[in-house]
Amino acid sequence: QVPLVESGGGLVQAGGSLRLSCAASGRTFGTNAMGWFRQAPGKEREFVATISWIGDQIKYADSVQGRFTASREDAKNTLYLQMNSLKPEDTAVYYCAASEGFYAGITSDEYDYWGQGTQVTVSS
């Protein structure tokens, strides 16, 4: 059973917005740091955002700072990524991830659980 399930991806024009959701399944992640990563065709998976277990520490990649907002709603066991002012270079498969720790950083090996990803395509 996949512990994390992403949704909300799709096709949007440059300048538009999307909100991704990541729902936990089979267990809760209320005491886990959560993160968002993305992988574009032909490129390695890259860090997008991370949020600590109580939301007191949120970090973003420089490329999305000021445009993307990560948040979590533990009552719904759900992680969100609000993406505004989207650019064609944001096109990628977006993955959510959970760490066993309260805090996590920007490298994928700090995360223990992964979703299957949702495609985001931004047209110019």
Side-chain angles (χ1 to χ4, degrees), residues 12-60:
V12 64
Q13 288 188 332
S17 299
L18 283 174
R19 188 175 81 155
L20 304 184
S21 299
C22 172
S25 176
R27 59 164 287 176
T28 61
F29 289 95
T31 57
N32 303 77
M34 305 286 291
W36 287 99
F37 289 76
R38 67 186 182 186
Q39 187 167 17
K43 296 186 177 181
E44 293 188 352
R45 189 172 299 186
E46 66 174 3
F47 166 77
V48 175
T50 183
I51 181 168
S52 62
W53 70 296
I54 54 173
D56 62 325
Q57 185 179 98
I58 305 176
K59 299 178 182 177
Y60 298 96

Side-chain angles (χ1 to χ4, degrees), residues 38-117:
R38 67 186 182 186
Q39 187 167 17
K43 296 186 177 181
E44 293 188 352
R45 189 172 299 186
E46 66 174 3
F47 166 77
V48 175
T50 183
I51 181 168
S52 62
W53 70 296
I54 54 173
D56 62 325
Q57 185 179 98
I58 305 176
K59 299 178 182 177
Y60 298 96
D62 289 343
S63 59
V64 307
Q65 180 76 49
R67 299 188 297 122
F68 290 11
T69 303
S71 61
R72 60 191 299 160
E73 189 171 359
D74 291 332
K76 295 185 177 180
N77 221 17
T78 302
L79 174 72
Y80 301 100
L81 184 68
Q82 177 66 43
M83 305 186 296
N84 298 328
S85 301
L86 282 161
K87 305 175 181 180
E89 50 263 44
D90 294 319
T91 294
V93 176
Y94 283 70
Y95 299 89
C96 71
S99 170
E100 286 288 4
F102 294 138
Y103 298 89
I106 67 173
T107 58
S108 58
D109 59 4
E110 297 179 71
Y111 297 82
D112 304 283
Y113 305 91
W114 292 84
Q116 293 182 318

